[in-house]
C-alpha cells in the first residue's frame, strides 16, 4: 500500500516500448534528431499554438529554467507560499534566476486569486530599493490537490498582463487537471494568458521527461542557452523525446490521468464513509487529503501503508485538525490498482471499528 506519491512507480508500458524503439540505431545527438522535432510539432498540435519547446529531465529544471526566462536578476516572482517552486526545490528557481526572489502568498487549498495577488501588488513599494514584481507562478494541480478553473486562470492572466507580469504554470500534474476539467490544453493555458508552462509527464507515465513550453515568444529567446548551461541539453536527447512520443500516442497520457483520477475518487469516497474521517480539501485530481483519527493513522502505518502527513497551512477557513487527528496525503497513479485502495480502506474501517468499541 504505497501512496507516497505518483512518482514511485516506473514508466508505463507504452512509454517503455517507445523508448526501446528509439534506442535502436544511430540518430543525431543533443536533440537534433527527427524524433525530437516530431515531438515538438506534436506539442504545437496539442496546444493549437506555435510554441517553443525545450525538453528536460526533471520538473525542477523545467520550473527553474521557465522562471529564469521570465524574471530578471533584480525581479520578484509571486507564488503561493506552499508552491513547489518555493518549498520543494532547494532554491533552484532563485539560483537560476541569478538573484531574483520568490515571494509566497497565502491561499486556501494552495490557490491564489486575482484579488489576493492584486492586493499584494498594490502593497509593494515602487522604490528602486525594492525588487519589482515580474512574474506570477501558479501550480496546476496545487500542493493541496486543488485545480484552477480556466476562469480562475483567466482572471490571473488578465491581472498579470494588465500589470506587465508574465504568468507561469507549474504543470507537474497537468494531465490530471486537464482530464478533471474536461477542457483542452489551449483552454487551460495560453487562451487564459499563460505565457510559459512547465509540462510534467514523469508523474503520469514517463521515465523522466518534462518540457518547458513557451507560448510567449519573448521568453523563448534565451532558453536554448539556459538549458545548455543547466546541463539539460541531453546528449542522447532522442530518448527524452521517445518517452513523450509514447506518452502522447493514442492519447495514452489522458488515459493514464483519467485512471489515476478515478482511483482517487474511489479512495476519497471510501474514506469519507469511514466514521470520523473527512476531507481537508475536495478531491479534484489524483491526490486525497483526509483528516483521520490518529488511531486510524497509526493502524495504517502499522499495516505498511506509505504516505505523508501534511501541513495545515492552507486549510480553508473554519477547517482544523484536532489533537487526536492527523491530516495525511494519499497519492494514486496511472498504475494504482483498485485492490490497493480496498486494502487501505479495509485497514481504516477495522481501525475505526476498534476505536468505536473502546
Amino acid at each position: 500500500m504505497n501512496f507516497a506519491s505518483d512518482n514511485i512507480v516506473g514508466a508505463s508500458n507504452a512509454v517503455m516500448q517507445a523508448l526501446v524503439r528509439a534506442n535502436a540505431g544511430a540518430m543525431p545527438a543533443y536533440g537534433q534528431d527527427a524524433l525530437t522535432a516530431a515531438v515538438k510539432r506534436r506539442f504545437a498540435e496539442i496546444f493549437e499554438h506555435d510554441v517553443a519547446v525545450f525538453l528536460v529531465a526533471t520538473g525542477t529544471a523545467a520550473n527553474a529554467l521557465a522562471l529564469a526566462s521570465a524574471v530578471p536578476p533584480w525581479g520578484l516572482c509571486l507564488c503561493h507560499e506552499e508552491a513547489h517552486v518555493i518549498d520543494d526545490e532547494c532554491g533552484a528557481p532563485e539560483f537560476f534566476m541569478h538573484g531574483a526572489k520568490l515571494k509566497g502568498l497565502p491561499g486556501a487549498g494552495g490557490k491564489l486569486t486575482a484579488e489576493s495577488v492584486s492586493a499584494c501588488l498594490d502593497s509593494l513599494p515602487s522604490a528602486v530599493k525594492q525588487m519589482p514584481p515580474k512574474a506570477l507562478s501558479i501550480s496546476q494541480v496545487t500542493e493541496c490537490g486543488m485545480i484552477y478553473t480556466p476562469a480562475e486562470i483567466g482572471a490571473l492572466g488578465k491581472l498579470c498582463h494588465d500589470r506587465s507580469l508574465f504568468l507561469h504554470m507549474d504543470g507537474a500534474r497537468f494531465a490530471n487537471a486537464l482530464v478533471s476539467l474536461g477542457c483542452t490544453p489551449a483552454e487551460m493555458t495560453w487562451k487564459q494568458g499563460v505565457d510559459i508552462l512547465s509540462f510534467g509527464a514523469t508523474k503520469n507515465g514517463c521515465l523522466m521527461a518534462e518540457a518547458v513550453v513557451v507560448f510567449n515568444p519573448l521568453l523563448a529567446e534565451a532558453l536554448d542557452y539556459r538549458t545548455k548551461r543547466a546541463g539539460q541539453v541531453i546528449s542522447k536527447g532522442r530518448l527524452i523525446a521517445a518517452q513523450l512520443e509514447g506518452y502522447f500516442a493514442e492519447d495514452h497520457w489522458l488515459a493514464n490521468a483519467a485512471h489515476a483520477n478515478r482511483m482517487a475518487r474511489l479512495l476519497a469516497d471510501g474514506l469519507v464513509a469511514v466514521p470520523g474521517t473527512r476531507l481537508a480539501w475536495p478531491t479534484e485530481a489524483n491526490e486525497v487529503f483526509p483528516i483521520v483519527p490518529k488511531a486510524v493513522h497509526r493502524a495504517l502505518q502499522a499495516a505498511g501503508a506509505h504516505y505523508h502527513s501534511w501541513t495545515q497551512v492552507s486549510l480553508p477557513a473554519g477547517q482544523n485538525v484536532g489533537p487526536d487527528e492527523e491530516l495525511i496525503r494519499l497519492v494514486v497513479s496511472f498504475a494504482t490498482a483498485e485492490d490497493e485502495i480496498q486494502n487501505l480502506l479495509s485497514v481504516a474501517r477495522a481501525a475505526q471499528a476498534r476505536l468505536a468499541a473502546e
Side-chain angles (χ1 to χ4, degrees):
M1 294 186 292
N2 197 327
F3 297 90
S5 186
D6 39 8
N7 58 13
I8 61 168
V9 295
S12 69
N13 288 337
V15 167
M16 290 301 295
Q17 289 168 7
L19 192 58
V20 170
R21 288 195 300 271
N23 189 59
M27 293 187 195
Y30 298 107
Q32 300 302 307
D33 57 280
L35 183 55
T36 298
V39 164
K40 290 182 177 181
R41 290 194 298 271
R42 184 73 179 111
F43 271 102
E45 294 169 359
I46 287 170
F47 284 95
E48 306 171 67
H49 197 281
D50 288 336
V51 290
V53 179
F54 302 86
L55 305 185
V56 297
T58 72
T60 295
N63 283 334
L65 290 167
L67 292 180
S69 73
V71 185
W74 60 89
L76 190 68
C77 177
L78 305 181
C79 62
H80 190 274
E81 62 185 337
E82 291 193 293
H84 206 272
V85 293
I86 198 172
D87 220 22
D88 295 280
E89 296 184 330
C90 199
E94 292 175 326
F95 177 80
F96 280 91
M97 290 190 294
H98 301 296
K101 292 189 178 298
L102 294 164
K103 179 178 176 62
L105 308 181
K111 294 175 73 171
L112 300 175
T113 65
E115 292 75 18
S116 66
V117 174
S118 181
C120 174
L121 292 172
D122 290 341
S123 73
L124 296 174
S126 58
V128 173
K129 65 181 181 179
Q130 297 291 336
M131 304 175 82
K134 292 296 182 179
L136 170 67
S137 177
I138 60 173
S139 302
Q140 185 76 318
V141 179
T142 76
E143 302 307 306
C144 302
M146 301 288 287
I147 293 174
Y148 286 95
T149 66
E152 290 170 332
I153 300 168
L156 290 167
K158 183 178 186 306
L159 172 66
C160 285
H161 295 165
D162 287 347
R163 299 292 192 103
S164 299
L165 273 65
F166 292 114
L167 179 57
H168 165 255
M169 177 181 285
D170 176 1
R173 295 184 172 93
F174 186 90
N176 299 97
L178 190 69
V179 166
S180 182
L181 290 171
C183 64
T184 68
E187 290 166 344
M188 202 170 77
T189 53
W190 63 269
K191 286 188 176 182
Q192 309 307 330
V194 174
D195 294 291
I196 190 165
L197 165 70
S198 299
F199 180 90
T202 303
K203 293 180 184 295
N204 191 43
C206 283
L207 187 67
M208 52 183 75
E210 314 278 314
V212 179
V213 181
V214 188
F215 305 107
N216 187 332
L218 292 175
L219 300 181
E221 181 179 1
L223 272 169
D224 277 323
Y225 299 97
R226 291 187 185 278
T227 52
K228 180 64 175 178
R229 292 183 69 189
Q232 291 296 317
V233 178
I234 309 300
S235 173
K236 298 182 181 180
R238 74 182 196 257
L239 300 182
I240 301 289
Q243 296 172 62
L244 291 164
E245 178 194 44
Y247 187 63
F248 290 139
E250 299 180 352
D251 287 339
H252 177 61
W253 65 303
L254 301 178
N256 280 1
H259 172 82
N261 289 4
R262 282 195 302 272
M263 293 298 100
R265 287 193 296 271
L266 180 65
L267 179 58
D269 291 346
L271 285 168
V272 296
V274 176
T277 295
R278 64 192 187 281
L279 296 181
W281 302 283
T283 299
E284 296 184 343
N286 66 316
E287 298 172 283
V288 183
F289 293 84
I291 299 171
V292 301
K294 281 194 180 291
V296 171
H297 168 56
R298 289 191 293 267
L300 290 172
Q301 290 188 314
H306 296 278
Y307 54 81
H308 293 288
S309 294
W310 210 247
T311 171
Q312 304 176 33
V313 170
S314 297
L315 285 175
Q319 181 74 276
N320 60 78
V321 180
D324 294 323
E325 295 180 315
E326 189 83 12
L327 168 56
I328 63 176
R329 185 191 75 162
L330 304 166
V331 188
V332 297
S333 75
F334 72 92
T336 300
E338 186 172 337
D339 60 356
E340 296 177 77
I341 291 171
Q342 296 303 337
N343 288 343
L344 184 140
L345 293 176
S346 294
V347 174
R349 293 186 194 109
Q352 178 57 35
R354 290 192 299 270
L355 183 63
E358 292 177 354

